Amino acid sequence: MSEERPRMGKEKESDVIANIRRSYEDLDGTELKVCLLSLSIFPENNAIKKRPLIYWWIGEGFITSTKEKRAEEIGEEIFEKLMRKDLIQPGEGEPNCELLVKSCTMHPWIRRMLISLASEARLFHFDSIWPMMPSYSIPTWRRACLVSKDPVKVEPIPEGAELNTLLTLFNVNVQYLDLEQKRLEELKKVEVLQLGRWQNSPTHHIELEHRRSVGASSAEGILNGLGAQKYLKYLSLRGISRITQLPDSILSLISLEILDLRACHDLERLPSDISSLKKLTHLDVSECFLLEGMPKGLQKLASLQVLKGFLIGTLKKTPCRLGELAKLKNLRRLSIHLGNEASVQQGEFTKLEGVSSLRHLKISWGVLSSNFKKDIDKESGKLSFPSNLEKLDLQGLPISNLPEGLKPSKLKKLKKLYIMGGELNSLSHGETNEHWKVEILRLHFLKKLKSPGLERLKREFPCMQYCAVSKLLVDEQNNAPI
């Protein structure tokens, strides 16, 4: 369409825009429409990460839980519906499988139509000087965006009385943030603070600037203003560097539901006890490689549905252990990382079976210290899993054979199985009369695993709809890479 546009007259162009608008008007329900309109603020040709997008929709209240479905499940369905209607497309490099798409892009003409509709609905204001980017300049509108034409310019939170009434502050493209404590404290009614990365690219850089007057370079001094937001539901600091620790003032966020700290690579410490965040449903601290351990009180967060980046370190630094997670009756997604000083108690991995509410589980083993490796390898072979598990992702598995609990008879509801890296050399589970119900299988970077061949995989996984097998596997017949 972009190539054809120079040759098209205004009348033809108007017809195309009108057709796109009709596609919007034919959408079923207000939820679907307002979620689509929210995409108007993203710059053209940028891949938008699905998870932060859904988190935003939940924080805004665009989607809410029902008796039958959690808000996140509804968000997943909306994302898939928009994709099926071709209003969004999979991001570049995404696998050719709808269930695996994790980012999206949008055609420039569709975005142009959404800008017009979002302005009419007074969802966002688009600056007349810079018409294709949102603005924070209109005080009567309750959603503001941080935007910058200069990628190296340090951008502060804007001043003005409108900060007292803002519901949402969204960082669209500012890479260097000036978060003055005074400005943060003025955001009395804000419900969404999306300051972190929404881009699909992990190389996108956002850095936290600090004022000398604050007297500290850590988040302890810079982010203290966060405690003033009594209505804040969603806080994203995803991918922001120079945050070394979270201030205790964050424990005053009594309405906080989603805390996204993913890929804060400088983050070393969380508050010592987070049990006061009673409404927290999502906590993501994955890819925080300097984090020393998990805080107390995790097992008391009864509303927690998603916990990503649970770090197994030393007993001293991780007072909350795997067995205690069984107390979280609403926990649906869990990712666990074993750090290089991980200490696993005898039988600890078998306690995972008791987290009966789990549907998605990811476990990654890091480069383990020689002092702990033998014990961890031994316990890894005894891994047990909840019987209702639907997705299992094992990365860096340090043992040669499948864990005891990884058998078709024990995981009859498993639909997705990913095994990436590690010492695994066989997929044999020892059950001759049982077959996997797995629909999506991914095997990558398994240098010691001999490939069973496609035909045998089909017999072992008769329900398989999608299979991705790395070239680093070895063909069992000729011992050559495939």
Side-chain angles (χ1 to χ4, degrees):
M1 291 174 67
S2 297
E3 294 173 358
E4 291 295 323
R5 190 179 177 211
R7 297 195 292 269
M8 296 168 63
K10 289 185 178 180
E11 184 176 339
K12 181 66 175 176
E13 183 176 333
S14 298
D15 289 343
V16 174
I17 297 295
N19 286 335
I20 296 173
R21 186 166 185 137
R22 276 193 291 273
S23 297
Y24 165 80
E25 291 170 350
D26 289 341
L27 291 176
D28 221 3
T30 304
E31 278 183 347
L32 206 56
K33 290 180 178 178
V34 74
C35 288
L36 178 60
L37 289 183
S38 70
L39 297 173
S40 61
I41 69 169
F42 298 107
E44 292 181 8
N45 304 318
N46 275 249
I48 308 160
K49 198 79 172 169
K50 177 172 71 170
R51 196 59 49 198
L53 191 60
I54 293 175
Y55 288 170
W56 178 24
W57 293 344
I58 295 173
E60 281 269 9
F62 293 161
I63 53 177
T64 55
S65 298
T66 65
K67 290 182 178 179
E68 295 79 22
K69 294 178 182 178
R70 295 173 299 113
E72 192 169 6
E73 292 175 310
I74 296 172
E76 294 272 3
E77 291 176 357
I78 287 176
F79 188 90
E80 291 169 9
K81 286 178 182 177
L82 294 177
M83 193 158 289
R84 290 194 200 107
K85 291 181 177 293
D86 291 326
L87 291 166
I88 57 176
Q89 293 81 39
E92 186 178 355
E94 291 281 9
N96 187 27
C97 178
E98 184 180 275
L99 296 175
L100 297 178
V101 173
K102 295 183 178 180
S103 66
C104 68
T105 59
M106 187 168 40
H107 193 280
W109 281 26
I110 293 178
R111 181 173 182 255
R112 191 171 289 111
M113 181 271 295
L114 294 182
I115 287 173
S116 174
L117 291 170
S119 297
E120 289 176 18
R122 298 184 67 81
L123 199 64
F124 295 101
H125 170 67
F126 289 84
D127 200 313
S128 59
I129 301 174
W130 196 10
M132 295 301 287
M133 290 294 283
S135 170
Y136 56 73
S137 62
I138 302 297
T140 57
W141 295 30
R142 303 195 67 188
R143 293 175 182 84
C145 294
L146 295 177
V147 294
S148 176
K149 293 182 181 180
D150 184 352
V152 299
K153 182 181 179 183
V154 177
E155 292 286 349
I157 293 178
E159 298 186 23
E162 69 270 18
L163 292 181
N164 295 323
T165 60
L166 274 184
L167 293 177
T168 296
L169 184 64
F170 198 105
N171 182 9
V172 173
N173 72 338
V174 173
Q175 295 186 19
Y176 295 90
L177 285 169
D178 181 359
L179 300 181
E180 187 184 5
Q181 181 176 333
K182 180 182 177 182
R183 296 275 81 80
L184 283 174
E185 290 174 346
E186 290 181 36
L187 298 167
K188 299 290 187 183
K189 296 185 179 180
V190 72
E191 297 180 6
V192 171
L193 265 180
Q194 165 73 44
L195 301 174
R197 187 174 70 215
W198 52 264
Q199 290 85 349
N200 189 42
S201 171
T203 61
H204 185 85
H205 179 73
I206 302 178
E207 186 171 311
L208 187 64
E209 292 291 320
H210 67 279
R211 293 169 177 258
R212 293 180 180 178
S213 59
V214 173
S217 60
S218 70
E220 183 77 34
I222 300 167
L223 299 178
N224 264 332
L226 283 174
Q229 290 79 31
K230 304 303 180 184
Y231 301 98
L232 186 62
K233 296 178 182 177
Y234 169 39
L235 172 62
S236 170
L237 302 175
R238 174 185 286 231
I240 299 180
S241 61
R242 301 186 72 177
I243 297 177
T244 58
Q245 65 184 64
L246 290 185
D248 288 339
S249 61
I250 202 170
L251 301 176
S252 300
L253 300 176
I254 57 175
S255 299
L256 192 64
E257 297 177 10
I258 302 174
L259 178 56
D260 188 354
L261 303 170
R262 186 185 183 100
C264 288
H265 297 314
D266 296 322
L267 185 63
E268 299 175 6
R269 290 187 298 280
L270 298 171
S272 59
D273 188 333
I274 63 169
S275 58
S276 62
L277 299 177
K278 298 186 182 300
K279 291 191 176 183
L280 204 64
T281 59
H282 294 67
L283 174 61
D284 191 344
V285 290
S286 55
E287 298 181 34
C288 296
F289 301 119
L290 296 182
L291 202 60
E292 297 177 346
M294 292 287 100
K296 295 179 183 178
L298 270 176
Q299 72 277 15
K300 297 180 181 179
L301 302 180
S303 299
L304 204 62
Q305 300 171 14
V306 175
L307 175 55
K308 294 184 178 181
F310 182 89
L311 177 65
I312 298 181
T314 63
L315 292 175
K316 181 179 180 181
K317 294 181 179 178
T318 307
C320 178
R321 307 304 294 183
L322 282 179
E324 294 182 273
L325 297 183
K327 299 175 183 178
L328 301 175
K329 302 303 182 183
N330 291 303
L331 191 63
R332 306 272 297 188
R333 296 172 184 257
L334 172 65
S335 75
I336 301 167
H337 178 69
L338 282 82
N340 61 354
E341 295 185 355
S343 176
V344 178
Q345 297 172 314
Q346 186 176 0
E348 187 165 9
F349 275 156
T350 64
K351 294 179 180 179
L352 269 174
E353 191 173 0
V355 193
S356 58
S357 58
L358 268 191
R359 299 296 181 268
H360 294 192
L361 174 63
K362 175 181 177 181
I363 306 176
S364 59
W365 287 259
V367 179
L368 302 172
S369 168
S370 58
N371 295 333
F372 304 109
K373 192 175 190 308
K374 185 177 180 180
D375 290 338
I376 288 176
D377 290 357
K378 182 179 178 181
E379 291 299 320
S380 297
K382 300 177 182 178
L383 266 170
S384 297
F385 307 102
S387 59
N388 291 322
L389 210 60
E390 297 172 1
K391 177 181 176 181
L392 177 61
D393 185 349
L394 302 175
Q395 299 188 0
L397 188 65
I399 55 177
S400 56
N401 297 315
L402 289 177
E404 292 178 8
L406 190 52
K407 296 182 179 182
S409 62
K410 295 184 177 182
L411 296 174
K412 294 184 176 182
K413 296 183 179 181
L414 194 67
K415 302 295 183 186
K416 298 179 182 179
L417 176 60
Y418 304 169
I419 304 178
M420 304 186 187
E423 303 297 318
L424 192 69
N425 62 23
S426 172
L427 290 175
S428 176
H429 50 73
E431 296 186 338
T432 56
N433 297 322
E434 293 284 348
H435 295 289
W436 291 106
K437 301 295 191 296
V438 169
E439 298 174 358
I440 297 176
L441 177 67
R442 304 181 83 173
L443 304 172
H444 293 298
F445 312 118
L446 297 166
K447 295 181 180 180
K448 296 185 179 181
L449 177 66
K450 292 183 178 180
S451 172
L454 185 59
E455 292 304 316
R456 185 174 170 184
L457 275 178
K458 287 181 178 179
R459 290 195 299 271
E460 290 287 338
F461 298 89
C463 301
M464 186 168 60
Q465 300 177 13
Y466 178 90
C467 178
V469 179
S470 168
K471 292 182 180 179
L472 294 181
L473 269 63
V474 174
D475 189 292
E476 60 184 0
Q477 293 182 349
N478 55 25
N479 206 37
I482 61 170

